[in-house]
Amino acid sequence: MDTINTRRSIRKYSSKDVSEELLNRLLTEAGRTQTMGNLQLYSVVVTRSKEGKERLAPAHFNQPMVTDAPVVLTICADYNRTSTWCRNRKAEPGYDNFLSFINASIDALLYTQTFCNLAEDAGLGLCYLGTTVYMPQMIIDALRLPKLVMPIATITLGWPDENPPLTDRLPVESFVHQEAYNDYTPQDIDRYYAAKEALEENRHFCEINNKETLAQIFTDIRYTKKDNEAMSEGMIEALKRQGFL
């Protein structure tokens, strides 16, 4: 089944349950993904209860799929478990630093993508929530994450109850560089973004928001400098509280 070329973000789910057996199988199989030093620097918090989802929802701007999905998975960069193992084996860990956070984050994201591929191959639908890193302290508090554990990714999971259209993607030549990085000329940008900018829905976004270009939708509305800087400060503060800075 060629799921990668037909994959969609699913935000509406049927009432059919995701069995513990299936979920545990997928979580186990995803553990075979690549990992730094074979340490598996991640943990996954499974949320099924109504109350648990409601605690998480505000951190994700109350997007409906957080409370509607049968399962919510929060994947965390975790150096707490490894550090505890070290201390219990007469070894002094030195992982309370930014590099360790980056290493654990990479492990967590590798695990997340592997899980997503396996889940979609099994027929499940999911949505990756980029909001996880916007207000991490809210998630840390909701899930009672100890020091050296940071939320990195959230997946809403269930059996699909919709079949949305495929979203557009940039052509491969726009992001693959041969031998060395080749910076982009204005002509390259015109060529690579032409199809995206010509889509009717994107032209409509510009019209209803009184913007001249699609890029302005992202810089002025969706991901503004002001918001990025404010959320960066929140991320840095959370990293300090969790012991990575």
Side-chain angles (χ1 to χ4, degrees), residues 98-114:
F98 186 65
L99 179 63
S100 297
F101 167 68
I102 292 296
N103 286 332
S105 296
I106 292 170
D107 262 23
L109 288 173
L110 285 168
Y111 181 91
T112 300
Q113 186 58 65
T114 300

Side-chain angles (χ1 to χ4, degrees), residues 25-33 42 110-111 114-115 118:
R25 175 173 70 80
L26 297 172
L27 291 169
T28 300
E29 290 177 353
R32 296 303 307 171
T33 198
Y42 48 79
L110 285 168
Y111 181 91
T114 300
F115 176 87
L118 292 168

Side-chain angles (χ1 to χ4, degrees), residues 138-159:
M138 295 178 70
I139 299 174
I140 291 167
D141 294 341
L143 301 180
R144 301 194 299 274
L145 303 181
K147 285 197 170 186
L148 299 186
V149 181
M150 278 288 293
I152 297 298
T154 300
I155 300 296
T156 59
L157 184 72
W159 299 103

Side-chain angles (χ1 to χ4, degrees), residues 5-232:
N5 287 314
T6 58
R7 73 154 311 279
R8 297 162 167 82
S9 291
I10 301 297
R11 295 173 174 84
K12 295 181 180 178
Y13 306 95
S14 76
S15 59
K16 180 181 177 182
D17 188 34
V18 178
S19 71
E20 288 285 350
E21 180 183 9
L22 174 59
L23 181 58
N24 286 336
R25 175 173 70 80
L26 297 172
L27 291 169
T28 300
E29 290 177 353
R32 296 303 307 171
T33 198
Q34 303 93 326
T35 173
M36 197 204 76
N38 200 27
L39 289 172
Q40 296 180 259
L41 302 171
Y42 48 79
S43 282
V44 183
V45 180
V46 180
T47 303
R48 287 182 177 270
S49 70
K50 179 177 182 289
E51 297 77 15
K53 294 175 202 171
E54 288 176 348
R55 284 194 298 270
L56 287 171
H60 299 289
F61 301 99
N62 292 306
Q63 296 178 85
M65 60 272 198
V66 176
T67 50
D68 293 347
V71 180
V72 177
L73 303 178
T74 306
I75 300 92
C76 304
D78 185 351
Y79 245 120
N80 174 62
R81 184 185 64 250
T82 299
S83 296
T84 301
W85 170 61
C86 289
R87 285 190 291 269
N88 279 273
R89 295 296 182 269
K90 302 179 181 179
E92 187 57 36
Y95 307 123
D96 52 346
N97 47 66
F98 186 65
L99 179 63
S100 297
F101 167 68
I102 292 296
N103 286 332
S105 296
I106 292 170
D107 262 23
L109 288 173
L110 285 168
Y111 181 91
T112 300
Q113 186 58 65
T114 300
F115 176 87
C116 288
N117 291 344
L118 292 168
E120 289 176 331
D121 281 344
L124 289 163
L126 55 89
C127 185
Y128 175 92
L129 304 185
T131 46
T132 307
V133 296
Y134 289 177
M135 294 182 285
Q137 192 61 50
M138 295 178 70
I139 299 174
I140 291 167
D141 294 341
L143 301 180
R144 301 194 299 274
L145 303 181
K147 285 197 170 186
L148 299 186
V149 181
M150 278 288 293
I152 297 298
T154 300
I155 300 296
T156 59
L157 184 72
W159 299 103
D161 194 30
E162 65 172 342
N163 187 32
L166 291 174
T167 51
D168 65 283
R169 290 293 187 268
L170 293 172
V172 66
E173 58 268 24
S174 72
F175 56 82
V176 174
H177 302 256
Q178 301 297 336
E179 306 298 339
Y181 191 100
N182 297 302
D183 208 351
Y184 300 95
T185 66
Q187 293 76 24
D188 291 333
I189 295 299
D190 289 345
R191 185 167 68 255
Y192 297 149
Y193 284 84
K196 179 186 287 287
E197 292 171 336
L199 289 173
E200 180 58 35
E201 59 263 38
N202 287 337
R203 294 167 66 91
H204 183 60
F205 285 153
C206 293
E207 291 173 4
I208 63 176
N209 288 286
N210 296 314
K211 296 298 177 181
E212 182 181 356
T213 70
L214 180 63
Q216 291 171 347
I217 298 294
F218 288 87
T219 61
D220 299 352
I221 299 175
R222 295 193 64 184
Y223 306 113
T224 69
K225 179 180 175 64
K226 179 182 178 181
D227 288 345
N228 287 337
E229 288 178 343
M231 289 185 286
S232 293

